[in-house]
Amino acid sequence: GQVTDGVTVLPALFYVATLGIVYTGLRRYASRRTLALALTLGLACVPNILFWSQQFYAEIPLLYYVVTSSLFLFFYFQRPQLNWLLISAAMAGFATQTKIEGILLVAVSWAAVALSAIIAATPAARRRGWAAAGLYAAVIAALYLPWFVFRHFLAHLPQGLSYWDDGARVLKGLAL
């Protein structure tokens, strides 16, 4: 039907978005246009990526979120601005919802933020670094929380989320 046909476009859109973000990131930081285009085309021709983008596998959205998160984290390390950190954290949070492997990949990026706080030269820079690491973790946790609640408290219900009363009882909330 029409809904099924529309859903099959999503992996292709994530594929194109991933290639676009890779090209943009390469161009932004001193790559010549030819080199950036060659590296992006090299990524575009990786057989697994081509296959995953034709099927509805979660690897392509995960790849997009991880690449985007890493790129904006790199921007943050180059020029520490809050907006780079927040975009990186948001993309990392979405990666945790896409696949379970996203949690491990996000842990690596959080460790990089924490490591930057540890190796900061001055105490003031260390405080800012730990504040950034805490904010990064808080944004990721806030985005992961709905999936965690669903997965651990509501997914085992016989009707799923059909009835609010059942979900509220499981969450020890007030049943309507």
Side-chain angles (χ1 to χ4, degrees), residues 154 157 159-176:
L154 300 175
L157 294 175
Q159 302 90 357
L161 290 177
S162 309
Y163 300 101
W164 171 251
D165 291 348
D166 292 337
R169 272 196 284 289
V170 169
L171 292 175
K172 311 279 188 281
L174 296 173
L176 299 176

Side-chain angles (χ1 to χ4, degrees), residues 66-83:
V66 169
V67 166
T68 305
S69 175
S70 301
L71 180 66
F72 281 97
L73 193 59
F74 176 74
F75 292 166
Y76 173 76
F77 287 145
Q78 292 295 316
R79 189 174 303 126
Q81 294 177 355
L82 184 61
N83 58 342

